Amino acid sequence: MFGILSVKRRLPVARGLASIMAGAMLIGSVPATAGIWDEGDIENGQSLFNANCASCHKVTNEVLAAPGLAGIADRWGSSEEILVQWIQNPQAAAATGDPYVKSLVDRYVGTYGWMTAQAVSADDVKDIMAYVQNPPDVVATADTGTD
């Protein structure tokens, strides 16, 4: 009888743990809706993009001196932290061994060379990504420093 009672007592606990684990797996598989892709300032992002990115990248699919950035949020296959590192110091990001960054290096560096490290903060990257995801109907142009 003792064996049966202990099994009966453990069964609800096991079911509860299984429910918690299933819930955690579901939560973990839901894409994050907030973060680097949509919390930034679009207007500041446009300014930063024009100053730091537009000489090589477009916000469309067009290739300039490097691949276009349209749909980058859907294509980016690594963490937000690695994205920031990739922009700030591409070689250091590659040195992490991140498989997605390795795929970028393999695909693009031979054709376009290494992206120049950008002196932007994580918050700047957030603003740039907000702009890239939601560009207004204006063409991004490189900031040449002349007014």
Side-chain angles (χ1 to χ4, degrees), residues 1-24:
M1 208 60 176
F2 179 75
I4 293 173
L5 285 177
S6 65
V7 169
K8 286 182 180 178
R9 288 181 188 157
R10 283 185 269 173
L11 191 56
V13 172
R15 284 185 184 150
L17 287 174
S19 296
I20 290 169
M21 290 175 64

PDB file of all heavy atoms in Angstrom, residues 1-24:
ATOM      1  N   MET A   1       0.817  -1.189   0.000  1.00  0.00           N
ATOM      2  CA  MET A   1       0.000   0.000   0.000  1.00  0.00           C
ATOM      3  C   MET A   1       0.861   1.254   0.000  1.00  0.00           C
ATOM      4  O   MET A   1       0.539   2.210  -0.645  1.00  0.00           O
ATOM      5  CB  MET A   1      -0.871  -0.075   1.254  1.00  0.00           C
ATOM      6  CG  MET A   1      -2.187   0.585   1.259  1.00  0.00           C
ATOM      7  SD  MET A   1      -3.321   0.007   0.053  1.00  0.00           S
ATOM      8  CE  MET A   1      -4.687   0.937   0.499  1.00  0.00           C
ATOM      9  N   PHE A   2       1.981   1.218   0.750  1.00  0.00           N
ATOM     10  CA  PHE A   2       2.846   2.390   0.858  1.00  0.00           C
ATOM     11  C   PHE A   2       3.362   2.810  -0.518  1.00  0.00           C
ATOM     12  O   PHE A   2       3.388   3.991  -0.848  1.00  0.00           O
ATOM     13  CB  PHE A   2       4.006   2.081   1.804  1.00  0.00           C
ATOM     14  CG  PHE A   2       4.947   3.246   1.947  1.00  0.00           C
ATOM     15  CD1 PHE A   2       4.602   4.349   2.705  1.00  0.00           C
ATOM     16  CD2 PHE A   2       6.162   3.239   1.292  1.00  0.00           C
ATOM     17  CE1 PHE A   2       5.454   5.405   2.835  1.00  0.00           C
ATOM     18  CE2 PHE A   2       7.024   4.303   1.405  1.00  0.00           C
ATOM     19  CZ  PHE A   2       6.679   5.388   2.176  1.00  0.00           C
ATOM     20  N   GLY A   3       3.750   1.835  -1.357  1.00  0.00           N
ATOM     21  CA  GLY A   3       4.257   2.130  -2.698  1.00  0.00           C
ATOM     22  C   GLY A   3       3.195   2.790  -3.556  1.00  0.00           C
ATOM     23  O   GLY A   3       3.466   3.724  -4.292  1.00  0.00           O
ATOM     24  N   ILE A   4       1.968   2.325  -3.477  1.00  0.00           N
ATOM     25  CA  ILE A   4       0.879   2.888  -4.282  1.00  0.00           C
ATOM     26  C   ILE A   4       0.566   4.307  -3.832  1.00  0.00           C
ATOM     27  O   ILE A   4       0.388   5.206  -4.648  1.00  0.00           O
ATOM     28  CB  ILE A   4      -0.383   1.995  -4.201  1.00  0.00           C
ATOM     29  CG1 ILE A   4      -0.113   0.654  -4.893  1.00  0.00           C
ATOM     30  CG2 ILE A   4      -1.575   2.686  -4.823  1.00  0.00           C
ATOM     31  CD1 ILE A   4      -1.202  -0.360  -4.738  1.00  0.00           C
ATOM     32  N   LEU A   5       0.506   4.545  -2.505  1.00  0.00           N
ATOM     33  CA  LEU A   5       0.215   5.880  -2.002  1.00  0.00           C
ATOM     34  C   LEU A   5       1.306   6.874  -2.395  1.00  0.00           C
ATOM     35  O   LEU A   5       1.020   7.997  -2.773  1.00  0.00           O
ATOM     36  CB  LEU A   5       0.043   5.856  -0.482  1.00  0.00           C
ATOM     37  CG  LEU A   5      -1.261   5.275   0.032  1.00  0.00           C
ATOM     38  CD1 LEU A   5      -1.253   5.252   1.560  1.00  0.00           C
ATOM     39  CD2 LEU A   5      -2.432   6.087  -0.470  1.00  0.00           C
ATOM     40  N   SER A   6       2.562   6.443  -2.314  1.00  0.00           N
ATOM     41  CA  SER A   6       3.625   7.376  -2.657  1.00  0.00           C
ATOM     42  C   SER A   6       3.585   7.705  -4.142  1.00  0.00           C
ATOM     43  O   SER A   6       3.861   8.833  -4.546  1.00  0.00           O
ATOM     44  CB  SER A   6       4.995   6.819  -2.250  1.00  0.00           C
ATOM     45  OG  SER A   6       5.291   5.657  -2.993  1.00  0.00           O
ATOM     46  N   VAL A   7       3.216   6.754  -4.979  1.00  0.00           N
ATOM     47  CA  VAL A   7       3.077   7.024  -6.410  1.00  0.00           C
ATOM     48  C   VAL A   7       1.916   7.983  -6.621  1.00  0.00           C
ATOM     49  O   VAL A   7       2.023   8.933  -7.396  1.00  0.00           O
ATOM     50  CB  VAL A   7       2.877   5.717  -7.202  1.00  0.00           C
ATOM     51  CG1 VAL A   7       2.465   5.998  -8.632  1.00  0.00           C
ATOM     52  CG2 VAL A   7       4.137   4.869  -7.164  1.00  0.00           C
ATOM     53  N   LYS A   8       0.799   7.764  -5.918  1.00  0.00           N
ATOM     54  CA  LYS A   8      -0.361   8.646  -6.052  1.00  0.00           C
ATOM     55  C   LYS A   8      -0.025  10.060  -5.599  1.00  0.00           C
ATOM     56  O   LYS A   8      -0.518  11.025  -6.149  1.00  0.00           O
ATOM     57  CB  LYS A   8      -1.557   8.098  -5.270  1.00  0.00           C
ATOM     58  CG  LYS A   8      -2.197   6.905  -5.916  1.00  0.00           C
ATOM     59  CD  LYS A   8      -3.402   6.447  -5.113  1.00  0.00           C
ATOM     60  CE  LYS A   8      -4.056   5.253  -5.765  1.00  0.00           C
ATOM     61  NZ  LYS A   8      -5.193   4.760  -5.007  1.00  0.00           N
ATOM     62  N   ARG A   9       0.803  10.183  -4.556  1.00  0.00           N
ATOM     63  CA  ARG A   9       1.188  11.504  -4.068  1.00  0.00           C
ATOM     64  C   ARG A   9       2.156  12.191  -5.035  1.00  0.00           C
ATOM     65  O   ARG A   9       2.142  13.395  -5.193  1.00  0.00           O
ATOM     66  CB  ARG A   9       1.841  11.397  -2.694  1.00  0.00           C
ATOM     67  CG  ARG A   9       0.857  11.074  -1.610  1.00  0.00           C
ATOM     68  CD  ARG A   9       1.531  11.009  -0.281  1.00  0.00           C
ATOM     69  NE  ARG A   9       0.595  10.518   0.712  1.00  0.00           N
ATOM     70  CZ  ARG A   9       0.937   9.944   1.833  1.00  0.00           C
ATOM     71  NH1 ARG A   9       2.225   9.777   2.115  1.00  0.00           N
ATOM     72  NH2 ARG A   9       0.035   9.525   2.671  1.00  0.00           N
ATOM     73  N   ARG A  10       3.021  11.428  -5.672  1.00  0.00           N
ATOM     74  CA  ARG A  10       4.000  12.006  -6.582  1.00  0.00           C
ATOM     75  C   ARG A  10       3.390  12.364  -7.931  1.00  0.00           C
ATOM     76  O   ARG A  10       3.873  13.253  -8.613  1.00  0.00           O
ATOM     77  CB  ARG A  10       5.165  11.040  -6.794  1.00  0.00           C
ATOM     78  CG  ARG A  10       6.114  11.022  -5.610  1.00  0.00           C
ATOM     79  CD  ARG A  10       7.289  10.169  -5.891  1.00  0.00           C
ATOM     80  NE  ARG A  10       6.952   8.815  -5.425  1.00  0.00           N
ATOM     81  CZ  ARG A  10       7.684   7.746  -5.619  1.00  0.00           C
ATOM     82  NH1 ARG A  10       8.798   7.834  -6.272  1.00  0.00           N
ATOM     83  NH2 ARG A  10       7.313   6.588  -5.157  1.00  0.00           N
ATOM     84  N   LEU A  11       2.350  11.690  -8.341  1.00  0.00           N
ATOM     85  CA  LEU A  11       1.750  11.912  -9.644  1.00  0.00           C
ATOM     86  C   LEU A  11       1.296  13.359  -9.836  1.00  0.00           C
ATOM     87  O   LEU A  11       1.642  13.977 -10.853  1.00  0.00           O
ATOM     88  CB  LEU A  11       0.599  10.928  -9.868  1.00  0.00           C
ATOM     89  CG  LEU A  11       0.050  10.860 -11.284  1.00  0.00           C
ATOM     90  CD1 LEU A  11       1.149  10.539 -12.280  1.00  0.00           C
ATOM     91  CD2 LEU A  11      -1.044   9.816 -11.365  1.00  0.00           C
ATOM     92  N   PRO A  12       0.550  13.986  -8.887  1.00  0.00           N
ATOM     93  CA  PRO A  12       0.168  15.389  -9.082  1.00  0.00           C
ATOM     94  C   PRO A  12       1.383  16.316  -9.157  1.00  0.00           C
ATOM     95  O   PRO A  12       1.395  17.268  -9.929  1.00  0.00           O
ATOM     96  CB  PRO A  12      -0.696  15.715  -7.865  1.00  0.00           C
ATOM     97  CG  PRO A  12      -1.193  14.403  -7.368  1.00  0.00           C
ATOM     98  CD  PRO A  12      -0.114  13.424  -7.709  1.00  0.00           C
ATOM     99  N   VAL A  13       2.395  16.018  -8.368  1.00  0.00           N
ATOM    100  CA  VAL A  13       3.606  16.845  -8.406  1.00  0.00           C
ATOM    101  C   VAL A  13       4.268  16.718  -9.766  1.00  0.00           C
ATOM    102  O   VAL A  13       4.673  17.708 -10.377  1.00  0.00           O
ATOM    103  CB  VAL A  13       4.577  16.446  -7.271  1.00  0.00           C
ATOM    104  CG1 VAL A  13       5.907  17.159  -7.421  1.00  0.00           C
ATOM    105  CG2 VAL A  13       3.948  16.721  -5.920  1.00  0.00           C
ATOM    106  N   ALA A  14       4.376  15.507 -10.276  1.00  0.00           N
ATOM    107  CA  ALA A  14       4.995  15.282 -11.583  1.00  0.00           C
ATOM    108  C   ALA A  14       4.194  15.971 -12.682  1.00  0.00           C
ATOM    109  O   ALA A  14       4.764  16.582 -13.588  1.00  0.00           O
ATOM    110  CB  ALA A  14       5.110  13.787 -11.862  1.00  0.00           C
ATOM    111  N   ARG A  15       2.864  15.893 -12.595  1.00  0.00           N
ATOM    112  CA  ARG A  15       2.022  16.576 -13.587  1.00  0.00           C
ATOM    113  C   ARG A  15       2.227  18.087 -13.512  1.00  0.00           C
ATOM    114  O   ARG A  15       2.298  18.769 -14.528  1.00  0.00           O
ATOM    115  CB  ARG A  15       0.551  16.227 -13.365  1.00  0.00           C
ATOM    116  CG  ARG A  15       0.191  14.866 -13.844  1.00  0.00           C
ATOM    117  CD  ARG A  15      -1.297  14.632 -13.696  1.00  0.00           C
ATOM    118  NE  ARG A  15      -1.622  13.278 -14.073  1.00  0.00           N
ATOM    119  CZ  ARG A  15      -2.618  12.589 -13.576  1.00  0.00           C
ATOM    120  NH1 ARG A  15      -3.401  13.119 -12.645  1.00  0.00           N
ATOM    121  NH2 ARG A  15      -2.856  11.365 -13.989  1.00  0.00           N
ATOM    122  N   GLY A  16       2.324  18.612 -12.308  1.00  0.00           N
ATOM    123  CA  GLY A  16       2.539  20.047 -12.131  1.00  0.00           C
ATOM    124  C   GLY A  16       3.877  20.485 -12.717  1.00  0.00           C
ATOM    125  O   GLY A  16       3.971  21.503 -13.398  1.00  0.00           O
ATOM    126  N   LEU A  17       4.914  19.708 -12.470  1.00  0.00           N
ATOM    127  CA  LEU A  17       6.229  20.023 -13.030  1.00  0.00           C
ATOM    128  C   LEU A  17       6.205  19.948 -14.552  1.00  0.00           C
ATOM    129  O   LEU A  17       6.799  20.786 -15.240  1.00  0.00           O
ATOM    130  CB  LEU A  17       7.296  19.087 -12.471  1.00  0.00           C
ATOM    131  CG  LEU A  17       7.703  19.335 -11.027  1.00  0.00           C
ATOM    132  CD1 LEU A  17       8.644  18.250 -10.548  1.00  0.00           C
ATOM    133  CD2 LEU A  17       8.331  20.702 -10.870  1.00  0.00           C
ATOM    134  N   ALA A  18       5.514  18.947 -15.076  1.00  0.00           N
ATOM    135  CA  ALA A  18       5.426  18.817 -16.532  1.00  0.00           C
ATOM    136  C   ALA A  18       4.702  20.027 -17.128  1.00  0.00           C
ATOM    137  O   ALA A  18       5.099  20.543 -18.172  1.00  0.00           O
ATOM    138  CB  ALA A  18       4.697  17.526 -16.902  1.00  0.00           C
ATOM    139  N   SER A  19       3.669  20.501 -16.466  1.00  0.00           N
ATOM    140  CA  SER A  19       2.952  21.685 -16.951  1.00  0.00           C
ATOM    141  C   SER A  19       3.832  22.929 -16.919  1.00  0.00           C
ATOM    142  O   SER A  19       3.842  23.729 -17.856  1.00  0.00           O
ATOM    143  CB  SER A  19       1.697  21.946 -16.118  1.00  0.00           C
ATOM    144  OG  SER A  19       0.792  20.895 -16.265  1.00  0.00           O
ATOM    145  N   ILE A  20       4.592  23.072 -15.847  1.00  0.00           N
ATOM    146  CA  ILE A  20       5.487  24.226 -15.729  1.00  0.00           C
ATOM    147  C   ILE A  20       6.547  24.182 -16.821  1.00  0.00           C
ATOM    148  O   ILE A  20       6.831  25.178 -17.479  1.00  0.00           O
ATOM    149  CB  ILE A  20       6.136  24.270 -14.327  1.00  0.00           C
ATOM    150  CG1 ILE A  20       5.080  24.632 -13.283  1.00  0.00           C
ATOM    151  CG2 ILE A  20       7.304  25.253 -14.296  1.00  0.00           C
ATOM    152  CD1 ILE A  20       5.528  24.448 -11.854  1.00  0.00           C
ATOM    153  N   MET A  21       7.118  22.986 -17.031  1.00  0.00           N
ATOM    154  CA  MET A  21       8.151  22.857 -18.062  1.00  0.00           C
ATOM    155  C   MET A  21       7.582  23.126 -19.444  1.00  0.00           C
ATOM    156  O   MET A  21       8.212  23.797 -20.262  1.00  0.00           O
ATOM    157  CB  MET A  21       8.796  21.470 -17.990  1.00  0.00           C
ATOM    158  CG  MET A  21       9.661  21.292 -16.750  1.00  0.00           C
ATOM    159  SD  MET A  21      10.307  19.634 -16.570  1.00  0.00           S
ATOM    160  CE  MET A  21      11.342  19.521 -18.004  1.00  0.00           C
ATOM    161  N   ALA A  22       6.393  22.629 -19.738  1.00  0.00           N
ATOM    162  CA  ALA A  22       5.774  22.877 -21.039  1.00  0.00           C
ATOM    163  C   ALA A  22       5.507  24.364 -21.221  1.00  0.00           C
ATOM    164  O   ALA A  22       5.731  24.922 -22.296  1.00  0.00           O
ATOM    165  CB  ALA A  22       4.468  22.076 -21.162  1.00  0.00           C
ATOM    166  N   GLY A  23       5.036  25.023 -20.178  1.00  0.00           N
ATOM    167  CA  GLY A  23       4.801  26.470 -20.250  1.00  0.00           C
ATOM    168  C   GLY A  23       6.081  27.239 -20.483  1.00  0.00           C
ATOM    169  O   GLY A  23       6.136  28.174 -21.280  1.00  0.00           O
ATOM    170  N   ALA A  24       7.130  26.836 -19.813  1.00  0.00           N
ATOM    171  CA  ALA A  24       8.424  27.505 -19.990  1.00  0.00           C
ATOM    172  C   ALA A  24       8.941  27.323 -21.408  1.00  0.00           C
ATOM    173  O   ALA A  24       9.499  28.238 -22.007  1.00  0.00           O
ATOM    174  CB  ALA A  24       9.434  26.968 -18.985  1.00  0.00           C
TER     175      ALA A  24
END
